[in-house]
Amino acid sequence: MNKKSEEFLRKMLEFLPSTEAAYRKSITFNGKVLETVIIEDIFMPEIIKLLREERNINLLESIFKYFEEVSNDEDAHLMNVFSVTVLEILGNDRSILGTAQKYMGSKTIELQIEADRDLGRRI
């Protein structure tokens, strides 16, 4: 795991402090930080829940503003992890994706469409 990925995980913990115990448990269980497992199994269910409820608009706006920063980052490893976890998961449910798109920046939308295309989904 590189420095940018560490920063991403730390930032997600700041946005979603309720995930701290599950984050620590995952590291203990797996013996190390498995980025994709943590993002897919711990952070994304919380983000999907936020999108489904769409009550904490400020938090959603902050998370997706950060996602736009990540989408514009040059770090290839971070971009790969972000695409195969966050962006692919957002595309799994069309109604969730529709809600997410209200908060996405232009680069995040572009990368999410690309992630869908890579999976052979709509376009």
Side-chain angles (χ1 to χ4, degrees):
M1 183 168 65
N2 69 15
K3 194 173 186 87
K4 290 284 189 167
S5 293
E6 287 176 24
E7 181 183 318
F8 181 84
L9 296 178
R10 183 184 49 76
K11 194 75 170 163
M12 289 296 98
L13 285 168
E14 287 175 22
F15 287 130
L16 306 165
S18 65
T19 62
E20 177 84 29
Y23 176 84
R24 299 277 168 229
K25 185 177 179 182
S26 173
I27 294 169
T28 301
F29 179 79
N30 293 300
K32 62 182 176 179
V33 174
L34 296 178
E35 299 160 86
T36 57
V37 170
I38 289 170
I39 296 168
E40 290 177 354
D41 295 347
I42 297 169
F43 298 141
M44 285 311 294
E46 292 299 313
I47 292 170
I48 298 298
K49 181 180 174 189
L50 286 167
L51 289 165
R52 189 170 283 121
E53 295 171 353
E54 205 174 1
R55 278 186 273 200
N56 195 339
I57 304 303
N58 289 339
L59 180 55
L60 283 168
E61 287 173 345
S62 295
I63 290 170
F64 280 91
K65 180 180 180 195
Y66 178 65
F67 285 175
E68 184 70 3
E69 290 175 28
V70 171
S71 295
N72 284 290
D73 198 289
E74 299 289 320
D75 187 274
H77 177 76
L78 177 61
M79 289 306 306
N80 182 52
V81 169
F82 182 71
S83 290
V84 301
T85 57
V86 174
L87 299 177
E88 287 183 7
I89 289 171
L90 288 173
N92 286 343
D93 181 313
R94 290 290 148 218
S95 66
I96 293 295
L97 180 59
T99 302
Q101 287 174 332
K102 295 192 282 188
Y103 303 99
M104 286 180 180
S106 59
K107 185 66 173 179
T108 308
I109 289 173
E110 178 186 321
L111 291 176
Q112 198 288 316
I113 291 169
E114 190 177 301
D116 273 357
R117 219 180 258 135
D118 290 346
L119 289 173
R121 290 197 274 221
R122 69 139 189 125
I123 301 302

